[in-house]
């Protein structure tokens, strides 16, 4: 029953061409190394879901892995645009991608509905926004108890959700602490779950503001120290703001991006880069 | 209309050199609108600076929530990202985003929300989605809604912070990401929104507030050194000016010192 | 801005005749002392909401405070029936009460809807049960995205929710740890919130499996050591199972109950009994 | 029907004295149905005893969830209440009830749920709400649904544990608290239930299972020392008996020892 595998195996066993994948983590604990491995394994036609498709999805999109992006805020936080996303969406390079655009509240509730095994969740959202006319998977419904109009968002159930966390214990339970965003819901909503962790510990020292993902929900775990870099892992390392700024230059031109892709992703093996589980 | 044409013909030159810059003035003006004990939904950048400034000065019990899940946080440095470790480490608690959006924001529990925008119109509707002709083929694709649509909908009051130019203050925004007052009185109710909508639009030139009955933005305060003509020249519609137009108090040395100290903590600056 | 008041004041300031009140806490942290003070202040015509109306509501009902009970499991856990509830419901002593009966999932989601400021929440619940025909505030709705029938429960927003917790800090934030049931949602759903706590501390030592109720949500706090007895407060005292068993005899007859009411509630002042906040 | 009448005329006397009591037999029979690694939704009493017994014997990785919020708990003593400190102190984590019901139970994540009942019918529909003529004027008011309705609806499989008498095994239950198979095949689907429904009904006399096609309960196993006649005499309808009726294996000394040790840990006993 070993759930602990190499990053290579975790991705190859769980991510298939055409899958709907959610790599979650909000600013904190973004599973960057797992994203790189998806690129390295040249997965194609993914529907990529994520509240904030920052660097991680700019890279996946630029590498041609993504056919559709489902998101609620797309930018390089504090820096600017996602050039690879814009190039794909506006110019079709390296391939045309479609988008389905939500609000944070809406996409979070799509995960909530998925986690709950419901066809939809309800919120008071999107109202007044032109997103109402441009976004799939939302609908207005009437309250059965009063005169209110309410917004329903369809459940999203990713084929695989991938998150990064600080620790896995001996049995394969995972603990993440600090900001976890909508990760818990994305995990509960998924058919398969991959977790990369900073550290494999014998047992947890319980942490305040932590969430526990029981091993029963997890398909595979890969130990990938610094697997969230250049985002951060509270208790392990800080956010590398310079890397976010540097990305702007790398991603601006197809050539510099392609060079990055070649040198930093394809030329490296996942094991050499991030270490492997055991 | 003739008047506005004339106004717009006015110079768009910079205000004369003052001992503060326009970001500092916007920040300080925003901070002053916050009252102690308010629950504020805060974003990165000027909103954070304003909120931390207010907390350090006249509103020590300001209750700050960030969409990333940090509840009643008390950052000592300027956070660089919405999920900055600084916010988590100084928070009363950190919760998941469903709790933030469903339990805190949606029921109208937030007193004041902050928004920025790429475009704003006379009814304080704002656009953070794209610039251009069509959603499918934008000229410039912007990040999108994030938390903004529901912040605009559900907070009791909203402050919009935006630099004032004819590119940002436009007659018609290309996409309504977040509703201000729609097309006037009644729009918010028609759209099932429970919050009061934008209360202040704070720019580098002054402060605009919605007219009580028409809901159209009115210039109510000029920042020191700014003329009405400048404001009108930087607004893409025939902006109304309040009869009792005020001048914003100049930043005090203490305020400026605090703001600059805060901005200096930002490691973003080192790059 | 002192939120710290005596138990007497916390109840008199927040509980009015005719209010909808929710005293939550699931087995653990049941606000028993607060319930006693409601009896002592002879509040009337309450709509009393609680998943498990065990001893605490048997006492409120027997004392004539309640006109309607909204609940999902009514019994003395591990012991048997709630005699005072049955006597009121079946015989109208000391007054007739009406009931609105849910499932745990349903009533929890009524709190969730209330906490969320929504008119209703959705679940896959009640289906197949005769509760469907006997319970108010539920309705079947159609999914706007597929063919599924879904159950909607109306929001509940108590006028006041009362919980017991382990600690309040200097500023009036509250921390509860261990089993908290649906307390968080009952608090978020309420118009006013009263918390009784075991201890007033300078600042919290963060605990695993804890919830924090920020002071902004709380109307008043009373320091009431052993305020959950005979239920328990993890870290402070254990459940007094004998008291639950003893209740069966006390509650069985109107006379023995009336005697208990006189001696244990009316004859004692809240301050003498539970100590007061300061 | 004539046969059932005759059967029912049979004696309802106690099985001859055996070295175990009927609670022990029910507990052990229930424990044996659990496979290692299953996620079980457990209640107080025999379900807890059975689950802890299984965990201590053949299914060490049984994953126990209680509706009070304890996830993957490993109690060392028998919990007396559904929110016992014992459950919280030995849990992987403790979460709120919305997470238990909405994220764990509702989506069909639970492999096996346990239910008790005051009444059961031939389609394993159960009543825990009231005994009597009408909901408004019950003869005996029972606790109600608690978690049962959704456990019955959403768990992949359900075990019902109930003592078998003509008062509990009735032709028509007074109130359907939780649906078994309704009025036969197709009822669960019509009622939007995603789980498979009751898999075993474990009584003090034997084990009943639903017929694959008719969904009606069939006696499939007799506990040692119990006769078919006894079972039929304690059933309020013409109970079908499986052609390949089995005898439950007698409790092993090891099983009995474990169960008794567990029950002895219950402080409830001291009263």
């Amino acid at each position: 029953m070993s759930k602990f595998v190499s990053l290579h195996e975790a991705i190859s066993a769980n991510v298939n061409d055409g899958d709907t994948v959610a790599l979650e983590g909000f600013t904190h604990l973004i599973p960057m190394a797992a994203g790189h491995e998806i690129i390295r394994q040249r997965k194609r036609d993914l529907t990529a879901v994520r509240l904030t498709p920052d660097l991680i999805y700019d890279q996946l999109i630029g590498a041609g892995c993504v056919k559709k992006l489902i998101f609620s805020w797309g930018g390089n936080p504090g820096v600017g645009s996602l050039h690879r996303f814009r190039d794909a969406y506006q110019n079709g390079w390296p391939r045309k991608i479609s988008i389905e655009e939500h609000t944070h509240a809406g996409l979070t509730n799509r995960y909530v509905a998925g986690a709950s095994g419901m066809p939809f969740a309800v919120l008071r959202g999107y109202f007044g926004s032109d997103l109402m006319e441009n976004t799939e998977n939302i609908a207005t419904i009437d309250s059965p108890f009063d005169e209110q109009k309410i917004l329903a968002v369809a459940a999203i159930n990713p084929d695989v959700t991938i998150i990064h966390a600080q620790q896995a214990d001996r049995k394969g339970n995972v603990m993440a602490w600090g900001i976890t965003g909508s990760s818990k819901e994305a995990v509960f909503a998924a058919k398969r779950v991959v977790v990369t962790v900073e550290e494999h510990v014998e047992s947890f020292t319980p942490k305040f503001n932590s969430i526990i993902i029981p091993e029963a929900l997890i398909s595979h775990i890969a130990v990938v120290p610094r697997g969230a870099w250049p985002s951060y892992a509270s208790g392990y390392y800080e956010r590398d703001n310079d890397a976010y700024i540097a990305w702007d230059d790398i991603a601006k031109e197809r050539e510099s991006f392609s060079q990055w892709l070649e040198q930093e992703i394809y030329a490296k093996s996942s094991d050499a880069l991030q270490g492997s589980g055991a | 209309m003739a008047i506005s044409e004339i106004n717009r013909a006015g110079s768009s030159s910079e205000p004369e050199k003052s001992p503060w810059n326009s970001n500092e003035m916007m920040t300080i003006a925003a901070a002053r609108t916050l009252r102690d004990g308010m629950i504020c939904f805060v974003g990165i950048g000027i909103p954070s600076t304003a909120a931390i400034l207010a907390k350090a000065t006249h509103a020590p019990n300001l209750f700050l929530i960030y969409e990333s899940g940090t509840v009643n946080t008390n950052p000592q440095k300027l956070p660089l990202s919405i999920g900055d470790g600084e916010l988590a480490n100084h928070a009363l608690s950190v919760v998941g985003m469903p709790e933030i959006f469903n339990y805190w924001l949606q029921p109208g529990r937030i007193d004041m929300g902050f928004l920025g925008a790429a475009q704003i119109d006379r009814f304080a509707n704002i656009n953070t989605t794209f610039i251009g002709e069509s959603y499918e083929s934008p000229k410039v694709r912007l990040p999108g809604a994030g938390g903004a649509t529901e912040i605009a909908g559900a907070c009791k009051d909203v402050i919009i912070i935006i630099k004032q130019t004819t590119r940002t203050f436009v007659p018609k925004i290309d996409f309504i990401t977040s509703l201000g007052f729609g097309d006037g009185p009644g729009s918010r109710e028609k759209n099932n929104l429970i919050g009061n909508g934008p209360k202040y639009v704070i720019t580098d030139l002054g402060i605009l507030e919605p007219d009580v009955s028409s809901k159209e933005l009115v210039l109510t305060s000029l920042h020191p050194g700014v003329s009405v003509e400048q404001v009108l020249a930087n607004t893409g519609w025939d902006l109304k000016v309040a009869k009792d137009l005020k001048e914003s108090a100049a930043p005090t040395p203490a305020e400026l010192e605090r703001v600059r100290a805060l901005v200096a903590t930002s490691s973003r600056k080192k790059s």
Side-chain angles (χ1 to χ4, degrees), chain A, chain B:
Chain A
M1 59 171 275
S2 185
K3 297 198 168 176
F4 290 89
V5 298
S6 69
L7 177 58
H8 176 89
E9 194 176 335
I11 297 303
S12 68
N14 291 286
V15 181
N16 306 309
D17 288 354
D19 274 358
T20 296
V21 301
L23 282 71
E24 272 301 341
F26 196 82
T27 306
H28 183 215
L29 295 176
I30 300 176
M32 300 292 301
H36 293 170
E37 183 60 20
I38 291 173
I39 296 174
R40 201 174 283 119
Q41 295 190 16
R42 297 177 197 265
K43 302 295 183 188
R44 288 294 177 267
D45 298 325
L46 303 178
T47 294
V49 191
R50 182 171 161 72
L51 269 68
T52 53
D54 38 37
L55 271 57
I56 189 171
Y57 277 13
D58 209 33
Q59 294 167 359
L60 280 166
I61 290 167
C65 304
V66 177
K67 75 170 176 198
K68 181 177 180 180
L69 177 68
I70 300 178
F71 74 108
S72 45
W73 192 91
N76 182 343
V79 179
S81 290
L82 297 177
H83 302 292
R84 293 299 97 224
F85 161 56
R86 286 177 59 173
D87 200 15
Y89 182 58
Q90 298 178 220
N91 310 316
W93 190 92
R95 60 164 292 174
K96 189 82 190 152
I97 65 165
S98 63
I99 64 172
E100 179 184 319
E101 184 170 5
H102 291 274
T103 66
H104 280 348
L107 189 46
T108 289
N109 278 296
R110 290 200 67 189
Y111 284 135
V112 168
S116 304
M118 296 291 288
F120 64 96
V122 291
L123 69 155
R124 192 178 286 107
Y126 300 82
F127 288 131
S129 167
D130 286 342
L131 283 172
M132 293 281 284
E133 283 85 54
N134 287 281
T135 294
E136 304 159 65
N137 289 310
I138 67 175
T140 305
I141 63 174
D142 295 311
S143 163
F145 302 108
D146 58 23
E147 300 299 305
Q148 291 189 61
K149 295 268 177 206
I150 292 299
L151 206 289
V153 288
I156 198 157
N157 290 100
D159 293 302
V160 55
T161 287
I162 305 177
I163 63 165
H164 186 75
Q166 283 99 336
Q167 296 182 344
D169 73 6
R170 189 175 51 80
K171 294 180 174 171
N173 303 297
V174 163
M175 180 163 68
W177 65 85
I179 288 165
T180 54
S182 297
S183 294
K184 184 194 270 191
E185 285 66 31
V187 162
F188 271 100
K191 300 184 184 102
R192 298 183 296 280
V193 172
V194 171
V195 186
T196 57
V197 295
E198 288 296 323
E199 197 177 2
H200 191 175
V201 298
E202 179 59 24
S203 64
F204 298 139
T205 306
K207 287 272 189 180
F208 190 52
N209 289 326
S210 61
I211 61 170
I212 300 285
I213 312 285
E215 57 81 21
L217 299 176
I218 300 171
S219 310
H220 288 101
I221 302 172
V223 179
V224 186
R226 295 188 63 80
W229 177 90
S231 85
Y232 72 107
S234 184
Y236 290 82
Y237 46 91
E238 307 249 311
R239 190 170 190 264
D240 186 349
N241 293 305
D242 291 339
Y244 279 83
I245 294 163
W247 181 251
D248 195 62
D249 273 342
I250 296 169
K252 204 164 268 164
E253 302 299 331
R254 293 175 186 176
E255 193 168 88
S256 51
F257 170 75
S258 297
Q259 195 177 351
W260 173 87
L261 198 58
E262 206 52 57
Q263 288 175 358
E264 299 299 325
I265 306 296
Y266 295 138
K268 294 182 179 175
S269 89
S270 62
D271 293 352
L273 251 185
Q274 283 99 11
S276 77
Chain B
M1 238 188 293
I3 294 174
S4 78
E5 299 264 305
I6 292 164
N7 288 336
R8 216 173 292 147
S11 97
S12 66
S13 69
E14 283 284 300
E16 59 181 284
K17 277 284 169 268
S18 59
W20 58 83
N21 68 37
S22 61
N23 275 350
E24 288 165 350
M25 185 67 232
M26 282 198 284
T27 304
I28 291 164
R32 289 171 180 166
T33 67
L34 302 176
R35 294 190 313 276
D36 202 20
M38 273 185 167
I39 303 180
C40 298
F41 204 96
V42 189
I44 293 303
I46 289 179
S48 277
T49 320
I52 300 172
L53 171 65
K55 237 172 131 61
T57 54
H58 65 284
N61 299 302
L62 215 56
F63 186 109
L64 308 185
I65 292 188
Y66 286 74
E67 66 188 14
S68 53
T70 58
V71 175
N72 200 358
T73 184
N74 191 16
Q76 304 300 302
K77 299 188 302 183
L78 211 52
L80 286 172
S81 69
I82 193 76
D84 211 282
E86 180 71 12
L87 297 173
N89 297 340
H90 294 86
L92 173 63
S93 66
V94 181
V95 300
M97 287 175 80
E99 186 165 328
I100 293 291
F101 284 109
N102 295 348
Y103 290 1
W104 283 99
L105 179 59
Q106 182 167 261
R109 239 179 270 279
I110 308 294
D111 296 305
M112 190 68 87
F114 287 89
L115 293 174
Q119 290 183 327
I120 186 169
D121 68 17
R122 69 173 70 215
F123 289 112
N125 303 300
I126 63 177
N127 175 16
T128 56
T129 301
F130 75 88
I131 306 293
E133 294 290 310
S134 87
Y135 182 75
E136 288 74 23
S137 306
K139 195 169 126 213
V140 181
R141 174 70 222 193
L142 305 164
T149 306
E150 287 82 12
I151 291 172
C155 292
K156 282 175 200 151
D157 293 304
V158 169
I159 298 178
I160 298 168
I161 300 175
I162 180 171
K163 292 220 181 187
Q164 194 157 2
T165 74
T166 51
R167 278 175 50 207
T168 55
F169 278 63
V170 296
K172 188 172 177 350
I173 63 181
D174 295 337
F175 188 92
I176 302 179
T177 309
S178 310
L179 201 73
F181 297 102
D183 52 12
S187 268
R188 292 184 65 82
E189 295 74 9
K190 236 181 339 202
N191 281 287
N192 316 301
L193 302 181
I194 63 169
N196 298 325
K199 184 167 184 175
Y200 302 106
V201 177
I202 296 180
T203 81
D204 49 333
L205 303 181
I207 300 175
L208 295 77
E209 298 175 58
D211 179 76
V212 177
S213 55
S214 74
K215 299 300 180 187
E216 187 175 330
L217 289 174
V218 175
L219 179 67
T220 57
S221 186
L222 285 174
H223 294 332
V226 179
S227 68
V228 171
E229 289 66 34
Q230 263 181 296
V231 176
L232 297 179
N234 283 287
T235 306
W237 69 84
D238 49 334
L239 176 66
K240 299 223 163 49
V241 179
K243 278 192 219 113
D244 59 340
L245 180 65
K246 294 183 204 63
E247 180 170 292
S248 314
T252 66
E255 285 171 331
L256 276 175
E257 192 186 331
R258 292 275 193 178
V259 168
R260 286 167 186 172
L262 262 175
V263 171
T265 63
S266 161
S267 58
R268 175 82 173 75
K269 292 285 151 187
K270 82 182 173 201
S271 308

